Amino acid sequence: MVRLKSRYLIVEMIWSSTNQDCACPSGVSKGVVMQAVKDSVLRNFGDVGMARLQNRMQIKYFNPLANIFIIRSNRAWHSMLWNAIFFIRHIKDHDVCCMVHRSVAMPRSCHKEALPIIQAKHKATRALTKIKVEEKEFDAEAQQHEEALLAMDF
């Protein structure tokens, strides 16, 4: 029996032209980011690259507070996806630079690698935010995103 082998890329989005310090600009969602990734694959690798990646490529986790997303791809072609993510420069008319933190093989190791990055980003966001938000509300929302990561269905 053949097992489908996947790789999970932990990607951080760094926004350059936004008035907000750390959070995603309004209108940027999981679907918008996925469309930007697909456009980048199509632009850089053509129909062949899109066909190789499309069957297993899926955003498994998206956190707009920490600007982190986790995307799954086929193990044989994950480096192609990594390169396509590197070349993303605009998402919905906002300048962005995408940086892949890690490529991991197992969902458990994905949780293990992503959780400290997300917690550090939440602390930085709380320190830099200019929006008047109660600390308890912000912590509750950050906790909700961390629980979503742990409950992620792979």
Side-chain angles (χ1 to χ4, degrees):
M1 195 156 124
V2 177
R3 183 175 153 204
L4 291 174
K5 297 191 178 182
S6 299
R7 288 289 183 257
Y8 298 90
L9 301 177
I10 302 170
V11 183
E12 178 183 4
M13 298 176 290
I14 302 167
W15 303 97
S16 60
S17 64
T18 182
N19 294 332
Q20 302 168 355
D21 287 328
C22 289
C24 281
S26 61
V28 176
S29 65
K30 185 177 181 178
V32 173
V33 172
M34 187 64 183
Q35 188 59 45
V37 171
K38 285 181 179 179
D39 291 343
S40 180
V41 169
L42 194 59
R43 185 175 53 251
N44 293 302
F45 299 104
D47 291 334
V48 173
M50 192 63 184
R52 288 178 176 167
L53 287 171
Q54 193 166 10
N55 66 341
R56 293 288 293 166
M57 186 172 58
Q58 181 182 14
I59 293 182
K60 299 303 281 182
Y61 176 75
F62 177 73
N63 187 334
L65 289 177
N67 295 324
I68 298 281
F69 68 93
I70 297 172
I71 189 165
R72 180 187 68 191
S73 73
N74 191 346
R75 182 179 73 170
W77 306 110
H78 83 281
S79 60
M80 185 185 294
L81 179 62
W82 190 323
N83 291 328
I85 288 172
F86 175 76
F87 286 112
I88 295 174
R89 293 292 173 243
H90 302 285
I91 295 179
K92 201 165 184 172
D93 298 329
H94 298 285
D95 293 333
V96 67
C97 177
C98 292
M99 182 176 70
V100 177
H101 277 279
R102 248 335 259 254
S103 171
V104 295
M106 302 293 291
R108 182 179 296 171
S109 57
C110 186
H111 291 154
K112 192 184 218 182
E113 295 291 331
L115 200 56
I117 296 169
I118 292 169
Q119 288 172 342
K121 293 286 285 181
H122 282 311
K123 287 179 185 176
T125 302
R126 182 176 40 204
L128 294 174
T129 189
K130 300 203 189 280
I131 302 170
K132 303 275 184 182
V133 177
E134 291 289 324
E135 193 169 313
K136 289 180 183 177
E137 291 176 15
F138 185 84
D139 287 340
E141 190 171 352
Q143 183 68 29
Q144 183 181 19
H145 281 287
E146 290 172 10
E147 289 171 1
L149 174 68
L150 294 175
M152 194 168 39
D153 182 26
F154 288 95

